[in-house]
Amino acid sequence: MNLNRRQILGTGAALTALAAAGPAFAQPKRAIGIQLYTVRELFGPDPMGTLEKIAKIGYREVEFGGGGYDKMDHAALRRRMDRLGLKSPSIHVPYEMLLADFDGAVKMAKTLGADTIILPYMTEPNRTLPVFTKAIADFSRFAERLKKLGLDFAYHNHDFEFTLKPEGRSLYERLIADTDPALVKIELDLFWTIAAGVDPKALIRSMPGRIYAYHVKDRTADGKMTSVGKGTIDFADIFTLNDIAGVRHFYVENDQSPAPYLPDITTSFQTLSRLRA
């Protein structure tokens, strides 16, 4: 293709503008979501009204978890989300449910429009080395079955995966080493990672492209959970590694969000809106 001088100059100006715009132009900001466990006290008795309030704040993604959502009318929830412009890319499904009713979990995810099932928590009896080793094999099996059905699988951490080190090796190290990164993704809870004494940036660099989503809540100097922006976590610094992480979703989650809940999640939304990249 031949270009005349005017076209060449125009192309150069466009490239200069793109360069000035920086990485944010090349890769649009990801939508901000919320893990509904944060507002479980509101969502349980009034799921539709809570979705309305969340959408009004500005959230565009919700991650189902807690509040009894698994027993609700998922088709009705989906209709309400569609009307509000909300999407649910992922849902939390307990280990025990995946073992007992895998098909039910798949149906629930697809009805809600999710593309990923997240395993959110391993109860204390599941944290011994023999049991967790079996669970890791189950995670791989879940992921393989889900992939054939058009869904992905990810694991959400707390602190115990890092702090429990049977035979000198943490449960998290075993999980990462003994699963296929193409199948078993990670939902990285930044609060719990830091609470366990782990450098989140070093962790992210150790598993490039494997992080499906972040759970974002802040941490006070004395270790308590708080709204994003009211604690000591340097999210702006962590988010410089977003492209390395491969992160696709940012979910606000505050397990200990104070009543009346909406001010807390509004503060987190507003802060994260300024920080995410």
Side-chain angles (χ1 to χ4, degrees), residues 33-38 40 59 63 65 92 120 156-158 187 189 191-192 214-218 225-226 228 250-257 264-265 268 272:
I34 183 168
Q35 163 52 246
L36 291 171
Y37 185 77
T38 305
R40 58 196 178 277
Y59 287 98
E63 183 177 62
H92 277 196
H156 170 273
N157 68 282
H158 288 77
E187 182 170 71
D189 190 302
F191 174 95
W192 286 117
Y214 291 140
H215 268 195
V216 187
K217 53 180 167 276
D218 219 330
M225 297 178 187
T226 189
V228 180
F250 293 72
Y251 292 120
V252 166
E253 186 201 40
N254 186 349
D255 314 31
Q256 301 166 9
S257 179
D264 172 65
I265 67 171
S268 289
L272 193 53

Side-chain angles (χ1 to χ4, degrees), residues 132-265:
F132 199 81
T133 299
K134 176 189 176 298
I136 288 173
D138 288 334
F139 302 161
S140 295
R141 181 168 56 86
F142 296 152
E144 289 171 357
R145 292 180 66 188
L146 289 171
K147 183 64 70 177
K148 292 176 182 177
L149 296 169
L151 297 171
D152 291 326
F153 175 85
Y155 182 91
H156 170 273
N157 68 282
H158 288 77
D159 56 347
F160 70 84
E161 292 93 343
F162 301 106
T163 59
L164 294 180
K165 299 180 180 181
E167 299 181 1
R169 190 173 175 225
S170 76
L171 298 180
Y172 203 83
E173 289 178 83
R174 295 171 188 275
L175 167 68
I176 294 300
D178 297 343
T179 55
D180 183 346
L183 289 175
V184 177
K185 300 297 184 180
I186 297 299
E187 182 170 71
L188 188 63
D189 190 302
L190 296 168
F191 174 95
W192 286 117
T193 299
I194 292 168
V198 175
D199 178 352
K201 292 183 73 175
L203 185 64
I204 290 164
R205 289 191 183 100
S206 74
M207 46 183 183
R210 194 167 185 175
I211 298 173
Y212 166 79
Y214 291 140
H215 268 195
V216 187
K217 53 180 167 276
D218 219 330
R219 187 170 188 264
T220 63
D222 59 353
K224 296 178 181 177
M225 297 178 187
T226 189
S227 310
V228 180
K230 288 191 172 182
T232 62
I233 298 178
D234 189 347
F235 291 108
D237 186 43
I238 295 170
F239 292 168
T240 62
L241 299 183
N242 287 346
D243 290 339
I244 292 173
V247 63
R248 293 159 53 192
H249 304 282
F250 293 72
Y251 292 120
V252 166
E253 186 201 40
N254 186 349
D255 314 31
Q256 301 166 9
S257 179
Y261 310 107
L262 296 180
D264 172 65
I265 67 171

